Amino acid sequence: EPYFLDQKLSLGGEVFYHENSYSSESYSYQTFGFELVAKKPITEFSFGRLGYRIEQTNIQNVTPVTEGGVQLGMDTCMMLTA
């Protein structure tokens, strides 16, 4: 079992970069960011999770057919999950 500071607590994180242009012929996008997570067991089979995530998504190469429904540029998202 993971321990941190002599407590049943696990810490983790993720740094990510995803580029996707194959799922749609209408546009491509890039997403990058990071996430920090802390988990603590509640029972033998469940745990509580607290996380913080920042990601930025860039939408590019939008075809004229979908340009009216998709905003070009970037979007930055910050999330705090529990």
Side-chain angles (χ1 to χ4, degrees):
E1 296 181 23
Y3 284 84
F4 180 74
L5 300 176
D6 293 326
Q7 296 186 23
K8 288 185 178 181
L9 181 67
S10 68
L11 299 176
E14 176 185 11
V15 175
F16 56 90
Y17 174 82
H18 304 283
E19 188 169 336
N20 188 347
S21 60
Y22 58 84
S23 67
S24 174
E25 295 178 9
S26 302
Y27 66 95
S28 63
Y29 68 90
Q30 299 171 325
T31 301
F32 59 93
F34 73 93
E35 179 177 33
L36 301 173
V37 177
K39 294 182 187 178
K40 183 166 180 67
I42 297 171
T43 67
E44 185 178 357
F45 300 107
S46 65
F47 61 87
R49 179 184 190 275
L50 180 65
Y52 181 74
R53 178 181 182 108
I54 295 179
E55 71 178 45
Q56 181 170 319
T57 302
N58 299 319
I59 300 173
Q60 304 167 339
N61 304 321
V62 178
T63 61
V65 175
T66 61
E67 200 166 293
V70 175
Q71 182 178 353
L72 300 175
M74 340 185 259
D75 179 36
T76 301
C77 177
M78 289 187 282
M79 292 181 271
L80 180 62
T81 60

